[in-house]
Amino acid sequence: MPLGGGNKCGRCQKTVYFAEEVLCDGRSFHKSCFLCMVCRKCLDSTTVAVHEDEVYCKACYGKKYGPKGYGYGQGAGTLSMDKGESLGIAQDEPGPHRPTTNTNASKFAQKFGGADKCPRCGKSVYAAEKVIGAGSSWHKNGCFRCATCGKGLESTTLADKDGEIYCKGTVVGCCHSNQSVLILF
């Protein structure tokens, strides 16, 4: 123990007396100095994480030194948009999206709907957005509409002719289909 009555604080380097001492990783701190290096929250033995000579709360330590990428949240159901800029973490900018020119769909794409193309827009239809009508997969929002009037369709209001989908309701001014014969008003 150095002269002056106590150990030196790991944060402020002033003398720490026994009544105000917190021990962590073999070092002494004043209770008021035992704070996270980033967010300045008070720490205790259950919330502290040490990196070299610095102390952090577990959340800031995880953001700064923990694994990065999808699936590394901070608890079940957590979605954080914090990318760590306040911690001095530089983010790599993704390059522009380049669609594939591979016409051979993988087994993964076939299983999860990536190989099905929407007849209206020509883009891939995935399981979460898929509606089947007229023997094809369509995007539920935006594409599963009457080819003539644009009205959104459901399985009960759908009629098809030559791979295209139409209304089958009785709304005047719209198209109607009766037994696969297309009649337009």
PDB file of all heavy atoms in Angstrom, residues 131 144 152-159:
ATOM      1  N   VAL A 131     -48.932 -15.473 -52.851  1.00  0.00           N
ATOM      2  CA  VAL A 131     -50.320 -15.841 -53.038  1.00  0.00           C
ATOM      3  C   VAL A 131     -50.369 -16.605 -54.352  1.00  0.00           C
ATOM      4  O   VAL A 131     -49.742 -16.205 -55.332  1.00  0.00           O
ATOM      5  CB  VAL A 131     -51.238 -14.600 -53.128  1.00  0.00           C
ATOM      6  CG1 VAL A 131     -52.667 -15.010 -53.371  1.00  0.00           C
ATOM      7  CG2 VAL A 131     -51.132 -13.765 -51.887  1.00  0.00           C
ATOM      8  N   PHE A 144     -51.081  -8.949 -56.911  1.00  0.00           N
ATOM      9  CA  PHE A 144     -52.265  -9.812 -56.922  1.00  0.00           C
ATOM     10  C   PHE A 144     -53.504  -8.936 -57.076  1.00  0.00           C
ATOM     11  O   PHE A 144     -54.300  -8.759 -56.175  1.00  0.00           O
ATOM     12  CB  PHE A 144     -52.313 -10.653 -55.643  1.00  0.00           C
ATOM     13  CG  PHE A 144     -53.252 -11.828 -55.710  1.00  0.00           C
ATOM     14  CD1 PHE A 144     -53.040 -12.849 -56.617  1.00  0.00           C
ATOM     15  CD2 PHE A 144     -54.326 -11.921 -54.849  1.00  0.00           C
ATOM     16  CE1 PHE A 144     -53.891 -13.943 -56.671  1.00  0.00           C
ATOM     17  CE2 PHE A 144     -55.181 -13.008 -54.896  1.00  0.00           C
ATOM     18  CZ  PHE A 144     -54.966 -14.013 -55.807  1.00  0.00           C
ATOM     19  N   GLY A 152     -57.562  -5.054 -55.813  1.00  0.00           N
ATOM     20  CA  GLY A 152     -56.940  -6.160 -55.103  1.00  0.00           C
ATOM     21  C   GLY A 152     -57.853  -7.368 -55.091  1.00  0.00           C
ATOM     22  O   GLY A 152     -59.074  -7.236 -54.949  1.00  0.00           O
ATOM     23  N   LEU A 153     -57.286  -8.537 -55.237  1.00  0.00           N
ATOM     24  CA  LEU A 153     -58.071  -9.765 -55.332  1.00  0.00           C
ATOM     25  C   LEU A 153     -57.860 -10.666 -54.125  1.00  0.00           C
ATOM     26  O   LEU A 153     -56.862 -10.545 -53.409  1.00  0.00           O
ATOM     27  CB  LEU A 153     -57.682 -10.527 -56.604  1.00  0.00           C
ATOM     28  CG  LEU A 153     -57.940  -9.803 -57.919  1.00  0.00           C
ATOM     29  CD1 LEU A 153     -57.346 -10.593 -59.073  1.00  0.00           C
ATOM     30  CD2 LEU A 153     -59.426  -9.585 -58.134  1.00  0.00           C
ATOM     31  N   GLU A 154     -58.821 -11.560 -53.929  1.00  0.00           N
ATOM     32  CA  GLU A 154     -58.736 -12.623 -52.939  1.00  0.00           C
ATOM     33  C   GLU A 154     -59.155 -13.901 -53.626  1.00  0.00           C
ATOM     34  O   GLU A 154     -59.659 -13.870 -54.755  1.00  0.00           O
ATOM     35  CB  GLU A 154     -59.659 -12.312 -51.761  1.00  0.00           C
ATOM     36  CG  GLU A 154     -59.255 -11.053 -51.007  1.00  0.00           C
ATOM     37  CD  GLU A 154     -60.224 -10.731 -49.865  1.00  0.00           C
ATOM     38  OE1 GLU A 154     -61.075 -11.586 -49.546  1.00  0.00           O
ATOM     39  OE2 GLU A 154     -60.123  -9.638 -49.315  1.00  0.00           O
ATOM     40  N   SER A 155     -59.004 -15.008 -52.945  1.00  0.00           N
ATOM     41  CA  SER A 155     -59.352 -16.292 -53.572  1.00  0.00           C
ATOM     42  C   SER A 155     -60.825 -16.349 -53.962  1.00  0.00           C
ATOM     43  O   SER A 155     -61.187 -17.010 -54.931  1.00  0.00           O
ATOM     44  CB  SER A 155     -59.019 -17.447 -52.632  1.00  0.00           C
ATOM     45  OG  SER A 155     -59.780 -17.335 -51.436  1.00  0.00           O
ATOM     46  N   THR A 156     -61.693 -15.634 -53.239  1.00  0.00           N
ATOM     47  CA  THR A 156     -63.130 -15.660 -53.542  1.00  0.00           C
ATOM     48  C   THR A 156     -63.517 -14.694 -54.655  1.00  0.00           C
ATOM     49  O   THR A 156     -64.615 -14.795 -55.194  1.00  0.00           O
ATOM     50  CB  THR A 156     -63.941 -15.328 -52.276  1.00  0.00           C
ATOM     51  OG1 THR A 156     -63.531 -14.045 -51.798  1.00  0.00           O
ATOM     52  CG2 THR A 156     -63.716 -16.380 -51.208  1.00  0.00           C
ATOM     53  N   THR A 157     -62.663 -13.748 -55.019  1.00  0.00           N
ATOM     54  CA  THR A 157     -62.994 -12.764 -56.049  1.00  0.00           C
ATOM     55  C   THR A 157     -62.156 -12.942 -57.299  1.00  0.00           C
ATOM     56  O   THR A 157     -62.170 -12.092 -58.180  1.00  0.00           O
ATOM     57  CB  THR A 157     -62.788 -11.330 -55.508  1.00  0.00           C
ATOM     58  OG1 THR A 157     -61.422 -11.154 -55.158  1.00  0.00           O
ATOM     59  CG2 THR A 157     -63.672 -11.059 -54.302  1.00  0.00           C
ATOM     60  N   LEU A 158     -61.450 -14.039 -57.389  1.00  0.00           N
ATOM     61  CA  LEU A 158     -60.491 -14.264 -58.467  1.00  0.00           C
ATOM     62  C   LEU A 158     -61.087 -15.099 -59.594  1.00  0.00           C
ATOM     63  O   LEU A 158     -61.761 -16.085 -59.361  1.00  0.00           O
ATOM     64  CB  LEU A 158     -59.266 -15.001 -57.903  1.00  0.00           C
ATOM     65  CG  LEU A 158     -58.243 -15.528 -58.895  1.00  0.00           C
ATOM     66  CD1 LEU A 158     -57.439 -14.375 -59.475  1.00  0.00           C
ATOM     67  CD2 LEU A 158     -57.329 -16.516 -58.226  1.00  0.00           C
ATOM     68  N   ALA A 159     -60.833 -14.668 -60.822  1.00  0.00           N
ATOM     69  CA  ALA A 159     -61.108 -15.476 -62.015  1.00  0.00           C
ATOM     70  C   ALA A 159     -59.867 -15.374 -62.889  1.00  0.00           C
ATOM     71  O   ALA A 159     -59.168 -14.357 -62.872  1.00  0.00           O
ATOM     72  CB  ALA A 159     -62.320 -14.946 -62.750  1.00  0.00           C
TER      73      ALA A 159
END
